[in-house]
Amino acid sequence: MRRTRRSPVPDKACIEAQDLARAAAAEIGRPEWVGEHLGTQVEGDRLVTHLFRCLDPAYPGWHYAVTVVRAARAKYVTVNESVLLPGSDALTAPEWLPWKERLRPGDLGVGDLLPSSADDERLMPGYAQIASEEITEDGEDKQMLWELGLGRPRVLSEVGREAAAERWYSGESGPDSPIATAAPAKCATCGFMVPLAGELRQMFGVCANEYAPDDGRVVSLDHGCGAHSEAALPENEAEPLTPVVDEMGYDTIVFDDTSELELVSSDQSAQQ
């Protein structure tokens, strides 16, 4: 047979010890902060928790929880624990995170140090620190030889390059920013664009135009702005002038000698 767990029996003395629990709650706060009695919770045999509303303005939605206990065959109830606990609608602190996970771009200030761990996946040993298992029997380095390190202990790994490329390409210096969509041409054809070295050269460069909003920043080759080296103002085409005809009025011309008009009229009739 399978034994079932017995539910604890509410202890009458512990349930009735409301004044004792209120006094214990006042000791961890103030008497005026202990509000109405919200109920009880039976924790076990002769073990009951009393709940009181917290009126402290600094802790809205919290409540005092005082656990009282009575020993077996004992007459008196004693306080086991008293704490302040948050309710379902209480304002609580966010979940704790290590400082490396809380760090955000721009948090590093003057004099701050941000050391990289030895197992940082964004970095790998430089050319002079190649691990023995990454060298063939002939002594040939199996890593990508374009990143030689040049005296640096570590260089960007593939993970580090992909993370940087994704961050730059999806940011304000990528092709989808508003200034790039309105640009007359792309950075790939701009004379102020300085390509990066290594594999990132295929997608990114640095803007060297002091009047551009991205001066000194990494931009994608399909980024753009209005300060493109080949940008030109649109030429204003001259519109043809149309004659103005006055159709609202007329001038009366009086000829003193109509012999010339009769001569012209006869010539036109002869031609017809």
Side-chain angles (χ1 to χ4, degrees), residues 178-189:
I179 194 171
T181 55
K186 304 299 182 183
C187 291
T189 59

Side-chain angles (χ1 to χ4, degrees), residues 3-77:
R3 300 181 58 183
T4 58
R5 187 176 180 181
R6 181 178 61 87
S7 300
V9 179
D11 186 79
K12 181 179 179 181
C14 291
I15 293 178
E16 293 178 351
Q18 186 179 138
D19 294 338
L20 176 64
R22 180 179 291 274
E27 291 181 359
I28 64 174
R30 294 182 180 179
E32 61 270 19
W33 288 351
V34 183
E36 61 178 308
H37 187 258
L38 300 178
T40 58
Q41 294 178 357
V42 179
E43 309 291 351
D45 293 338
R46 300 179 301 278
L47 189 65
V48 175
T49 298
H50 290 266
L51 305 176
F52 300 91
R53 187 182 305 278
C54 178
L55 303 181
D56 186 353
Y59 290 89
W62 290 60
H63 59 265
Y64 293 100
V66 181
T67 303
V68 296
V69 62
R70 185 176 66 85
R73 294 185 297 275
K75 184 183 298 185
Y76 300 102
V77 178

